[in-house]
Amino acid sequence: MSSIIRKNAVANIAARNPDLEFAESVNIGDIYGENAFTLKTMKKVLPKAIYKKLSATIRKGKILENDIADVVAGAMKNWAIGKGATHYTHWFQPLTGSTAEKHDSFIDPDGEGGVILNFSGKELVQGEPDASSFPSGGIRATFEARGYTAWDPTSPAFIKRSKAGATLCIPTAFCSYTGEALDKKTPLLRSMQAISKQAKRVLACFGKDSDGMSLTTLGAEQEYFLVDKELFLARPDLIQAGRTLFGNVPAKHQQMDDHYFGAIKSRIIACMEEVDKELWKLAIPAKTRHNEVAPAEFEIACVYETLNLATDHNMMVMEILRAVADRHGLVALLHEKPFAGINGNGKHNNWSIATPKGKNLLEPGKTPHDNAIFLTFICAIIKAVDTYADLLRATVATAGNDHRLGANEAPPAIVSIFLGEQLTDIIKQIEKGGAKSSKSQDVLNIGVDSMPELPKMLPTVTERVRLHLPETNLSFAQLVRSNHVQGLTLC
């Protein structure tokens, strides 16, 4: 960007009259989930017997019964039309790292110059994107070269709004005519089912037979930059690649952490507040918002949800960030860290396993040395990371992620598992013949009598997990022996 263009952009930004109007406050409980076809909504609009069957599929992983599809489709259509929707789409996640959709209207001509609004169970359960435009799994025969979208009932349908109207979005998997996965959701759902099967097998060894699926859960943190649109449009690299490719190092960077430890600017908080409201309407549990370390970088984090739902919600978070930022004269950049010394965004995945009733199996408790179930799952994860390090490496070996690893603030490209002081001590006790005690929680004394004593919070295992992936052909065991991994740490 030339200095003249930048000076003009900065001058134009400074000359704007700030909008000092305060948005009306809202009751979160009144708007939360209003644009999502959640269980709460289903309970209101579905017959009791149908709701019970669909709820069992969503909550317990029961096989979806075909005979309920027409009733659910009718209720979903009426709910969506009541929200202003004219079209529906099977919303899916092809292998592009983004989402895709093909819209169909609810209308059917009635033969008399009018229309009736229809949405059948067949249309809900299965869709067919344009076979000539989407991947087909390598099949070339005309009648087989097609992709199918299949309804995922475990992720609620939702309303996507525009200035002109609204669309009913139905989360779906995307597969080929012969069943190959052509998206990101299908392998994820398969992995959740596999982990549930094995987790229940382990729990059964402890006499913990339970109805339903064991849950894999995720708490996603999404970092992003907000850049004024006028400055963005003066940068060809940002327009074309969404990241810095050239230019000078900024005069003021992050050496003093004054952005991270500063108040959120009024223009940014206005954008954040609108983002939160849009997310809450979709039943996305946005919880935390704050400045990040890099100048103009911020973060949003959501409450833990089941893995599939949290992933869908993260895709929606990114889309809403971009849309809302645009309404505020900003551009949201979500790129990863591109080069050493140049900042980018991380997406931290705080992953765990829970029982079908939601009890976190990776929560140590107050006496983890006595918690046999917890220790069993910890050891299983250690073994899994050791045995399948190469597979773990391959699952994230995208060009963007490989480019990011080892860059500024990004983790080094190694596999590591970090337990923390308390659990490391327990593992060492087990190695010596058996764990008999757990280190107690210390108290933080600030030295001010009027302030309460603060417990030194021991992080849960999910907070200690940092999976750093190796830029090498060595196995995990070889990495340990070659000192690429310092000590035994747990993910």
Side-chain angles (χ1 to χ4, degrees), residues 83-126:
K83 296 287 183 182
T86 56
H87 290 69
Y88 68 91
T89 180
H90 276 194
W91 182 83
F92 61 103
Q93 299 172 33
L95 301 175
T96 60
S98 187
T99 60
E101 52 200 54
K102 178 174 77 93
H103 295 204
D104 290 292
S105 70
F106 289 114
I107 67 166
D108 274 339
D110 63 3
E112 299 178 352
V115 295
I116 54 176
L117 302 181
N118 276 331
F119 183 52
S120 67
K122 181 180 179 181
E123 291 168 321
L124 168 63
V125 170
Q126 180 177 311

Side-chain angles (χ1 to χ4, degrees), residues 63-286:
I63 294 175
L64 182 67
E65 297 185 22
N66 292 329
D67 60 350
I68 73 171
D70 281 327
V71 179
V72 175
M76 191 182 290
K77 177 204 73 176
N78 293 336
W79 171 80
I81 290 172
K83 296 287 183 182
T86 56
H87 290 69
Y88 68 91
T89 180
H90 276 194
W91 182 83
F92 61 103
Q93 299 172 33
L95 301 175
T96 60
S98 187
T99 60
E101 52 200 54
K102 178 174 77 93
H103 295 204
D104 290 292
S105 70
F106 289 114
I107 67 166
D108 274 339
D110 63 3
E112 299 178 352
V115 295
I116 54 176
L117 302 181
N118 276 331
F119 183 52
S120 67
K122 181 180 179 181
E123 291 168 321
L124 168 63
V125 170
Q126 180 177 311
E128 183 183 346
D130 186 353
S132 64
S133 301
F134 286 94
S136 63
I139 299 171
R140 291 293 173 262
T142 303
F143 74 97
E144 293 178 334
R146 60 185 69 181
Y148 290 106
T149 49
W151 176 38
D152 172 18
T154 64
S155 185
F158 60 94
I159 299 293
K160 180 186 285 190
R161 298 195 176 278
S162 67
K163 288 183 179 179
T167 301
L168 171 65
C169 297
I170 303 160
T172 56
F174 180 44
C175 60
S176 74
Y177 179 82
T178 50
E180 287 89 351
L182 300 176
D183 66 346
K184 299 292 185 72
K185 179 184 279 285
T186 303
L188 182 67
L189 292 173
R190 289 172 178 171
S191 72
M192 291 172 65
Q193 184 169 301
I195 289 176
S196 174
K197 179 180 178 181
Q198 298 307 319
K200 289 182 69 175
R201 181 176 64 84
V202 175
L203 288 171
C205 296
F206 291 93
K208 303 288 184 180
D209 293 324
S210 53
D211 185 27
M213 289 184 66
S214 286
L215 308 173
T216 40
T217 62
L218 175 66
E221 305 169 20
Q222 178 66 58
E223 295 175 359
Y224 59 98
F225 287 101
L226 289 176
V227 180
D228 187 273
K229 193 182 298 183
E230 192 160 352
L231 289 170
F232 170 83
L233 292 174
R235 288 281 299 273
D237 55 341
L238 296 185
I239 294 172
Q240 296 295 330
R243 71 200 67 205
T244 295
L245 299 180
F246 52 79
N248 293 323
V249 175
K252 182 181 180 183
H253 212 243
Q254 62 191 58
Q255 293 85 350
M256 301 298 292
D257 280 341
D258 52 339
H259 182 254
Y260 189 58
F261 292 126
I264 303 172
K265 297 291 190 278
S266 57
R267 185 183 181 191
I268 301 303
I269 198 68
C271 179
M272 287 179 165
E273 286 171 347
E274 187 176 347
V275 167
D276 280 343
K277 289 174 186 176
E278 292 298 316
L279 295 178
W280 291 335
K281 289 177 183 178
L282 293 167
I284 300 175

Side-chain angles (χ1 to χ4, degrees), residues 283-353:
I284 300 175
K287 179 73 172 178
T288 304
R289 63 192 187 199
H290 62 85
N291 291 345
E292 252 300 335
V293 175
E297 187 180 30
F298 309 92
E299 182 175 295
I300 184 171
C302 297
V303 178
Y304 273 73
E305 300 179 280
T306 56
L307 182 54
N308 176 48
L309 184 56
T311 301
D312 282 1
H313 280 172
N314 184 252
M315 301 301 290
M316 294 157 67
V317 164
M318 292 189 290
E319 187 171 338
I320 287 169
L321 276 171
R322 292 189 182 102
V324 173
D326 184 67
R327 295 201 287 266
H328 287 258
L330 299 164
V331 175
L333 300 176
L334 297 159
H335 64 81
E336 68 279 357
K337 296 171 174 62
F339 309 109
I342 302 295
N343 280 295
N345 299 298
K347 192 197 298 286
H348 300 140
N349 295 282
N350 301 294
W351 177 91
S352 194
I353 313 175

